[in-house]
């Protein structure tokens, strides 16, 4: 029922470029660049030509955008409906109930409920609640969609099919984390962000949503609002795959915007390599004299530290300028 948002949620001016327009109108726009939709129906077709055509579409989207809507992805509708129902039911609980599942960042317990809304720490906050869940181990048995995508991306680099999956730890080591994001209605959506601009550190990220727009991608120098494509899963190429491909596949800068009218919920599954066991660097086959390695060798843990350090430095610089 509040009419204005607390100052902790008001983002710096430079972060609010392109925000303030009606997100529902923007989502309907047909002009300008659109996030590609990739139909996976024929990705495992017995016909090599049909299969190749489907893979090429996915590879092209990974190189030009690094994000796409996947349709005919093979994940059963009833499973998706159950995941959505569970998430919505949780966020509809009274705050005291949700707090019973609270995480504790200070002690390293990231699983569970976190409320940015209840956070009174200094600095700019994001307009969202969330629930983190480590999906392990049962669901690791069938990672069909991740395997299918990584196979196609491997072939797109001229590698054998299983190579990228192996480079991110294989199904034995790949960590799956689910984060349910809950973005309440916001009385001043032109001043806030649900999630600030970032690239995903993961190998791949798969996202479901409740058909309320809010995802924006920074494409060719402008913020583009993603369409809400029914029965699709949004997939992001993460930093890990960008590094392994030596920049051929893109990890796109994106953010989440909020609105006055509707609650937005998204369900993100991050496929991450183990923190210390693997050295992330461009695979040797894609490095040449003409195209030297763009990324230094680092563990996944070191990559996270590097990003956090760079972000802290950038924040410091922008504060000094203002």
């Amino acid at each position: 029922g509040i009419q204005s948002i607390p100052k902790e949620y008001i983002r710096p001016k430079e972060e609010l470029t392109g925000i303030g327009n009606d997100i529902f109108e923007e989502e309907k726009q047909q002009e300008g660049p659109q996030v590609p939709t990739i139909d996976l129906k024929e990705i495992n077709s017995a016909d090599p030509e049909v299969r190749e055509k489907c893979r090429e579409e996915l590879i092209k989207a990974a190189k030009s955008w690094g994000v796409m809507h996947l349709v005919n992805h093979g994940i059963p509708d009833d499973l998706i409906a159950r995941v959505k129902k569970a998430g919505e039911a949780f966020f509809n609980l009274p705050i005291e109930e949700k707090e019973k599942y609270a995480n504790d960042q200070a002690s390293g317990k990231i699983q569970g409920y976190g409320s940015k809304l209840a956070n009174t720490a200094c600095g700019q906050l994001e307009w969202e609640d969330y629930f983190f869940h480590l999906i392990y181990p049962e669901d690791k048995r069938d990672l069909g969609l991740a395997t299918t995508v990584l196979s196609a991306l491997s072939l797109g680099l001229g590698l054998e099919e299983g190579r990228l999956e192996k480079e991110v730890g294989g199904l034995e080591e790949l960590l799956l984390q689910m984060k349910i994001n809950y973005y309440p209605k916001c009385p001043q959506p032109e001043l806030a962000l649900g999630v600030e601009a970032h690239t995903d550190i993961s190998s791949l990220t798969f996202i479901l949503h409740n058909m309320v727009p809010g995802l924006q991608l920074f494409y060719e120098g402008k913020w583009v609002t993603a369409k809400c494509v029914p029965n699709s899963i949004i997939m992001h190429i993460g930093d890990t795959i960008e590094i392994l491909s030596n920049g051929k596949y893109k990890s796109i800068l994106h953010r989440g915007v909020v609105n006055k009218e509707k609650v937005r919920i998204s369900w993100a599954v991050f496929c991450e390599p183990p923190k210390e066991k693997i050295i992330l660097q461009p695979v040797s086959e894609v490095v040449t004299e003409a195209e030297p390695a763009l990324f230094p060798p680092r563990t996944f843990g070191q990559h996270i530290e590097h990003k956090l350090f760079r972000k802290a430095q950038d924040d410091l610089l922008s504060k000094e300028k203002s």
Side-chain angles (χ1 to χ4, degrees):
I2 59 172
Q3 298 305 306
S4 58
I5 65 175
K7 65 181 190 308
E8 294 94 333
Y9 294 95
I10 298 173
R11 310 298 300 197
K13 267 206 182 83
E14 64 272 15
E15 285 190 37
L16 298 172
T17 317
I19 291 178
N21 307 323
D22 184 333
I23 193 73
F24 297 97
E25 285 306 309
E26 281 184 21
E27 193 260 343
K28 289 176 195 153
Q29 292 284 333
Q30 296 303 322
E31 304 86 58
Q34 306 287 342
V35 175
T37 296
I38 306 300
D39 189 339
L40 293 182
K41 194 175 176 189
E42 304 293 356
I43 197 143
N44 293 315
S45 166
D47 182 331
E49 217 167 283
V50 173
R51 186 172 68 232
E52 193 53 37
K53 190 170 181 295
C54 183
R55 284 178 178 163
E56 275 170 14
E57 291 292 309
L58 189 149
I59 289 159
K60 185 176 153 197
K63 287 182 174 176
S64 58
W65 277 86
V67 64
M68 61 204 79
H69 302 283
L70 300 179
V71 295
N72 290 314
H73 40 69
I75 294 178
D77 292 347
D78 70 318
L79 176 59
I80 286 175
R82 279 161 50 213
V83 168
K84 288 185 170 184
K85 196 174 166 189
E88 284 166 2
F90 176 79
F91 284 107
N92 285 333
L93 291 171
I95 187 80
E96 309 77 55
E97 281 298 304
K98 289 187 281 201
E99 287 290 354
K100 288 178 187 173
Y101 302 93
N103 60 14
D104 183 6
Q105 300 274 9
S107 69
K109 180 181 174 271
I110 63 160
Q111 277 212 94
Y113 172 64
S115 176
K116 301 282 173 78
L117 292 177
N119 188 340
T120 53
C122 296
Q124 268 65 40
L125 304 177
E126 294 172 325
W127 191 267
E128 68 153 346
D129 283 9
Y130 60 88
F131 189 94
F132 242 128
H133 176 51
L134 302 181
I135 309 173
Y136 180 88
E138 294 89 347
D139 296 62
K140 294 190 110 179
R141 282 198 292 261
D142 182 11
L143 270 188
L145 187 54
T147 295
T148 299
V149 169
L150 290 170
S151 296
L153 295 176
S154 295
L155 293 168
L157 296 174
L159 308 169
E160 66 275 13
E161 267 190 80
R163 182 66 181 280
L164 285 179
E165 190 173 289
K166 186 174 161 227
E167 292 287 343
V168 297
L171 299 192
E172 302 74 37
E173 295 287 350
L174 202 62
L175 182 72
L176 292 191
Q177 301 193 67
M178 177 183 272
K179 185 184 181 212
I180 309 176
N181 300 297
Y182 179 89
Y183 306 101
K185 294 177 204 176
C186 180
Q188 293 177 296
E190 71 283 358
L191 297 179
L193 278 175
V195 171
E196 64 187 13
H198 67 287
T199 61
D200 286 358
I201 54 174
S202 61
S203 311
L204 300 172
T205 304
F206 297 98
I207 302 172
L208 302 172
H209 57 81
N210 63 340
M211 292 296 286
V212 174
L215 172 64
Q216 292 190 328
L217 300 309
F218 196 65
Y219 182 75
E220 295 186 344
K222 288 196 178 128
W223 286 104
V224 176
T225 299
K227 293 265 177 285
C228 291
V229 176
N231 305 317
S232 71
I233 293 177
I234 295 168
M235 186 190 80
H236 286 273
I237 301 288
D239 296 350
T240 299
I241 295 295
E242 182 176 69
I243 291 167
L244 291 169
S245 72
N246 204 26
K248 288 185 168 53
Y249 297 135
K250 301 286 179 284
S251 180
I252 196 169
L253 190 70
H254 57 285
R255 67 186 182 187
V257 301
V258 290
N259 73 83
K260 281 182 184 178
E261 295 166 48
K262 291 183 178 177
V263 166
R264 180 169 179 260
I265 308 180
S266 68
W267 291 256
V269 173
F270 304 99
C271 305
E272 296 184 353
K275 279 202 167 69
E276 306 302 335
K277 282 191 179 178
I278 288 166
I279 300 294
L280 286 181
Q281 59 189 332
V283 296
S284 56
E285 290 89 337
V286 297
V287 177
T288 62
E289 256 181 61
E291 294 182 315
L294 299 173
F295 305 92
R298 286 191 181 110
T299 64
F300 184 61
Q302 286 168 333
H303 175 65
I304 296 169
E305 290 299 315
H306 169 70
K307 278 194 88 161
L308 291 173
F309 175 73
R310 263 187 50 195
K311 186 179 174 338
Q313 296 295 97
D314 292 348
D315 288 351
L316 208 60
L317 283 171
S318 66
K319 274 184 184 142
E320 282 170 5
K321 281 179 194 165
S322 61

